[in-house]
Amino acid sequence: MSDTTKDGGRPGRRAPLIVAAVAIVAAIGITSTVVLGGGDDRASGTGNAPVAEVSGGTDPAKAATVLDRPFTKPDLVLTDTKGQKYDLRERTKGKPTLIYFGYTHCPDVCPLTMSNIAIARKQLPKADQDKLQVVFVTTDPERDTAAELGKWLPAAGDPSFVGLTGDFAAIQAGARSIGIGIDPPKKEKDGSVVSMHGAQVIAFSPTTDQGYVLYGEDTTADQYAKDLPKLIKGENP
């Protein structure tokens, strides 16, 4: 499930969303191993692609999909909005962390996702707000410089959100390690740029540093607000 987001206002490409299928499989009470991501409309299912294992008991009415086999946090060392080196694993160790792969020229899904998380975060007690780490990794690093992310993130989301940019190959490898397939931005003949972004927000536990919960692009601010208190404690939503 992907589409194409161009700069001119037409939608951009986003990595396929497998979460809904995972939730449906889980809801009928069987264990399933599902590959998330892929660069086109297909889940790859081959090679060394990471898998998310989901078992029965998931409530299809909930926004969250809880994984039986969580993802390891990406081993990424990139550049933050201040132009400083940012080691993702080191800086977020032991902290509740939401990670999203997107880009600033996205006209719809990326800013909406950041906005919904920001609205939900503001409903938390101050101490919990300070604990929560929200990390936005660009999938369009050529245009999304540290300065560009520094301007966009506070407007689209919240000044506390971390924005990361750097080498595309490193970003692509980090995304793939948590099941999100992205391709390099492509310049069209008319000068527009087609970019791809992730369709999932992945929550990492402060107790294990493992990515154990997935949220799809349709998750609302209210749904995030309901789940964040549990995610901050490392509990299942």
Side-chain angles (χ1 to χ4, degrees):
M1 209 169 140
S2 64
D3 66 356
T4 317
T5 300
K6 290 191 178 181
D7 291 348
R10 284 177 289 177
R13 290 178 69 200
R14 51 186 181 271
L17 177 64
I18 313 298
V19 174
V22 175
I24 291 170
V25 170
I28 61 177
I30 58 176
T31 299
S32 176
T33 300
V34 182
V35 176
L36 297 172
D40 55 18
D41 290 339
R42 301 182 303 275
S44 64
T46 59
N48 296 318
V51 295
E53 188 174 285
V54 184
S55 65
T58 297
D59 182 350
K62 290 185 177 181
T65 298
V66 179
L67 306 179
D68 286 342
R69 185 188 298 177
F71 290 116
T72 298
K73 192 174 291 181
D75 186 10
L76 280 173
V77 180
L78 298 171
T79 302
D80 66 16
T81 56
K82 297 178 182 178
Q84 302 297 313
K85 183 178 77 169
Y86 189 98
D87 186 322
L88 179 64
R89 286 184 177 175
E90 178 183 312
R91 297 286 290 273
T92 63
K93 185 177 181 180
K95 300 177 181 179
T97 304
L98 305 180
I99 296 178
Y100 183 76
F101 286 81
Y103 68 108
T104 67
H105 290 76
C106 174
D108 42 33
V109 178
C110 297
L112 179 61
T113 298
M114 291 299 100
S115 175
N116 284 340
I117 295 173
I119 291 169
R121 177 185 177 273
K122 288 181 172 65
Q123 298 179 43
L124 293 168
K126 180 63 167 61
D128 284 347
Q129 289 186 35
D130 293 341
K131 292 176 184 176
L132 182 65
Q133 307 293 300
V134 180
V135 180
F136 180 93
V137 184
T138 182
T139 59
D140 187 7
E142 184 173 337
R143 292 184 296 172
D144 285 347
T145 61
E148 184 68 22
L149 284 170
K151 290 186 296 183
W152 183 83
L153 263 183
D158 187 273
S160 71
F161 290 2
V162 175
L164 299 179
T165 188
D167 177 68
F168 179 81
I171 292 170
Q172 185 181 50
R176 283 177 176 170
S177 75
I178 55 174
I180 297 171
I182 56 174
D183 294 330
K186 180 181 178 183
K187 193 167 186 177
E188 300 289 284
K189 292 181 180 179
D190 62 3
S192 61
V193 178
V194 178
S195 295
M196 175 179 279
H197 62 82
Q200 305 91 15
V201 172
I202 302 185
F204 288 79
S205 168
T207 59
T208 65
D209 282 317
Q210 298 289 300
Y212 71 116
V213 180
L214 301 178
Y215 290 93
E217 63 193 63
D218 295 327
T219 305
T220 66
D222 287 343
Q223 288 170 325
Y224 279 120
K226 181 179 179 182
D227 288 1
L228 283 180
K230 292 185 177 180
L231 295 178
I232 288 170
K233 296 176 183 177
E235 298 173 354
N236 288 349

